[in-house]
Amino acid sequence: AGAVTSICIDSTARFAHEKGYHVTILSDCTSARTILEQDFYCNNIFPLYAEVMNHTELLTKLGLAIVA
């Protein structure tokens, strides 16, 4: 999770991937400068080296209850 998808999230996630980590990026817990930029990175760039999902999908994958 974090801000500036195209800079901070991208560089941190790439570095982690290069170090051998399995990277998951939460598409609804990151923020870009525009909606277009956010969508572009989540749909076209991040899938090259990371698994992209929203927080609900992550909680479900981890078997955690979702409290509304």
Side-chain angles (χ1 to χ4, degrees):
V4 192
T5 297
S6 63
I7 300 168
C8 301
I9 307 305
D10 184 43
S11 61
T12 302
R14 284 177 191 259
F15 183 75
H17 175 75
E18 290 169 0
K19 293 292 183 184
Y21 288 94
H22 174 85
V23 178
T24 301
I25 297 174
L26 301 177
S27 60
D28 62 338
C29 296
T30 58
S31 178
R33 293 170 289 195
T34 67
I35 294 170
L36 179 64
E37 181 181 76
Q38 180 74 7
D39 290 343
F40 179 77
Y41 270 79
C42 288
N43 295 323
N44 298 293
I45 303 299
F46 293 152
L48 298 173
Y49 58 84
E51 186 174 1
V52 181
M53 63 182 71
N54 64 42
H55 78 280
T56 304
E57 293 168 324
L58 177 65
L59 292 174
T60 301
K61 185 175 182 177
L62 295 174
L64 301 173
I66 300 170
V67 179

